[in-house]
Amino acid sequence: MSDKKNEDYTIRMPDTGMRSPYDGEKDPFIPPRPSRVASHANVSSQIAKIENSPPISILAYCLSSISMTVVNKYVVSGSEWNLNFFYLAVQSIVCIVTIEACKQLGLIKNLAPFDWNKGKRWFPISLLLVGMIYTSTKSLQFLSVPVYTIFKNLTIIVIAYGEVLWFGGSVTPLALLSFGLMVLSSVVAAWADTRSASQTAEAAAALATLNAGYAWMGLNVFCTASYVLGMRKVIKNMNFKDWDTMFYNNFLTIPVLVVCSLIAEDWSSENLAKNFPPESRNALFIGMIYSGMAAIFISYCSAWCIRVTSSTTYSMVGALNKLPIAVSGLVFFSAPVTVGSVSAIFIGFVSGIVYAWAKVRQSQVASNSLPTTKPTMSASSQSNRDAANS
């Protein structure tokens, strides 16, 4: 009996150093406790796989750019919409608030404090940005998403020859071929759009709307090229990090956009009711807030795509992404589907691929030559430039 008591005592108190003869049989049947360290390690490994996944980064970049275009078109497509400066001010405010929140949470670690001297030097670039984004929303207000996407390619031509004039750039024969295809796609798109509008019941009003859209699109091409070329001229002396360009752009444009909205736009209660009808008011506010956050998504996803793939892959993705953006206009906004419009989309799609391949070939030739004095651009700045051309 005493031996049995001692055995029971030994089982209950394993820290005495004595082991039960049944311990070896019981251990396999005792479920192991989950290790918190192991679970955290598994979560970290899964996040690392996502962060280093090229397909996920490409998908994120495509979805962010498509959603940005679709949301912008939805907000400005109201028949009575006329508050573009206010809309762009909301975008910039949301973008700044989001960047500051991410900085406080530790998600953004390389954002330097605002420097007023840098702000003064960057302010002219911000004014060019205001012109670019305002004319972009106005042209998107009057044109369909496919036509807007096709005509946006013309900006690439103006920027290319601007670089030839001011930075000693060059245009290869393959790039010239892509430029010809871009012009051809724009002509076909304009022809198809005009023909479709002339066959409607209110042909005169539809044609007037298209003409206004083409005028705004022409101004947008000029403003976008001026912004990109001006940014390249100034940014080499600014020493901006990845997030600095976006922060300065949005922070400096807020007062300009607010003042323009207060001076040039109608803030009467009647006009506000027309711009924000009760049946779509909440959706419009959500879209305006999302568009401000989408600018950050596009910048992050662009830098992410460049980091985990290559600049070559990123250029090709940017070219291929124009097709789903154009198709999204056909799907979400019932843009007219005709032989001309589909042909214009296809020609524009091919021109984008040819241009991306021309840039790849040009970069390969440059990498095999002696170093030049071409200014370096951060990933965020490069993505901003590519977004302006998309």
Side-chain angles (χ1 to χ4, degrees):
M1 181 65 69
S2 61
D3 292 337
K4 181 64 177 175
K5 288 181 180 180
N6 290 337
E7 183 182 68
D8 292 342
Y9 179 79
T10 303
I11 293 173
R12 294 191 187 104
M13 301 293 293
D15 53 5
T16 58
M18 300 178 63
R19 292 182 57 86
S20 168
Y22 302 101
D23 280 350
E25 297 178 5
K26 290 183 179 181
D27 287 345
F29 297 95
I30 299 176
R33 292 182 178 181
S35 173
R36 292 185 178 181
V37 176
S39 63
H40 285 305
N42 291 333
V43 172
S44 300
S45 64
Q46 293 296 325
I47 294 176
K49 288 181 180 179
I50 293 174
E51 288 180 346
N52 295 298
S53 171
I56 295 179
S57 68
I58 292 172
L59 180 62
Y61 168 69
C62 293
L63 291 178
S64 60
S65 59
I66 293 171
S67 65
M68 181 68 166
T69 303
V70 171
V71 170
N72 279 338
K73 177 62 177 176
Y74 171 75
V75 172
V76 303
S77 60
S79 59
E80 302 291 338
W81 179 262
N82 55 19
L83 295 176
N84 291 71
F85 281 122
F86 170 70
Y87 174 41
L88 296 174
V90 171
Q91 278 188 351
S92 296
I93 293 171
V94 171
C95 189
I96 290 297
V97 171
T98 306
I99 290 176
E100 285 294 335
C102 292
K103 181 181 179 181
Q104 295 299 323
L105 294 174
L107 300 176
I108 297 177
K109 300 181 175 63
N110 57 349
L111 178 63
F114 184 79
D115 187 335
W116 285 104
N117 291 326
K118 288 185 177 180
K120 292 178 182 178
R121 284 185 288 167
W122 193 257
F123 185 71
I125 305 300
S126 297
L127 290 180
L128 294 174
L129 177 63
V130 170
M132 185 190 80
I133 58 180
Y134 180 77
T135 55
S136 176
T137 56
K138 292 297 290 186
S139 57
L140 193 58
Q141 182 177 353
F142 294 109
L143 298 176
S144 64
V145 173
V147 174
Y148 170 82
T149 304
I150 292 169
F151 272 84
K152 197 72 174 174
N153 282 338
L154 298 179
T155 306
I156 297 174
I157 303 176
V158 180
I159 293 174
Y161 282 100
E163 290 181 339
V164 170
L165 292 174
W166 290 309
F167 300 103
S170 61
V171 177
T172 63
L174 195 59
L176 278 176
L177 174 61
S178 69
F179 295 164
L181 292 173
M182 291 174 188
V183 173
L184 177 62
S185 66
S186 301
V187 172
V188 174
W191 169 79
D193 228 18
T194 304
R195 184 180 180 184
S196 177
S198 62
Q199 295 174 352
T200 59
E202 300 178 350
L207 290 174
T209 300
L210 287 179
N211 291 333
Y214 296 145
W216 283 112
M217 194 72 241
L219 290 174
N220 178 251
V221 169
F222 172 77
C223 292
T224 303
S226 300
Y227 166 71
V228 172
L229 295 172
M231 181 177 65
R232 178 175 174 181
K233 185 75 173 179
V234 176
I235 198 170
K236 63 180 180 180
N237 300 321
M238 300 297 290
N239 195 26
F240 277 163
K241 303 299 183 183
D242 283 346
W243 293 99
D244 292 339
T245 306
M246 175 173 287
F247 181 82
Y248 276 75
N249 273 337
N250 286 276
F251 185 77
L252 294 174
T253 56
I254 289 175
V256 178
L257 293 169
V258 171
V259 171
C260 289
S261 178
L262 294 175
I263 294 176
E265 294 177 340
D266 185 2
W267 280 87
S268 64
S269 57
E270 294 81 4
N271 190 59
L272 291 176
K274 291 179 181 179
N275 282 273
F276 300 100
E279 62 272 12
S280 60
R281 185 173 300 164
N282 292 335
L284 286 172
F285 284 140
I286 292 174
M288 295 171 73
I289 294 173
Y290 173 79
S291 65
M293 300 177 67
I296 299 177
F297 297 156
I298 292 175
S299 181
Y300 175 79
C301 292
S302 299
W304 181 17
C305 187
I306 294 172
R307 178 177 61 83
V308 301
T309 59
S310 65
S311 58
T312 302
T313 303
Y314 176 72
S315 299
M316 294 304 296
V317 169
L320 297 174
N321 194 40
K322 293 183 182 297
L323 179 61
I325 291 178
V327 172
S328 67
L330 303 176
V331 174
F332 294 107
F333 299 103
S334 301
V337 181
T338 62
V339 175
S341 63
V342 174
S343 301
I345 292 173
F346 177 74
I347 297 172
F349 173 67
V350 173
S351 69
I353 295 178
V354 174
Y355 176 74
W357 180 243
K359 296 298 289 183
V360 170
R361 292 287 300 273
Q362 191 174 8
S363 63
Q364 290 175 347
V365 172
S367 64
N368 295 327
S369 61
L370 293 176
T372 64
T373 58
K374 181 179 180 180
T376 58
M377 299 177 72
S378 67
S380 178
S381 302
Q382 181 66 41
S383 65
N384 286 340
R385 172 179 173 170
D386 294 334
N389 297 334
S390 64

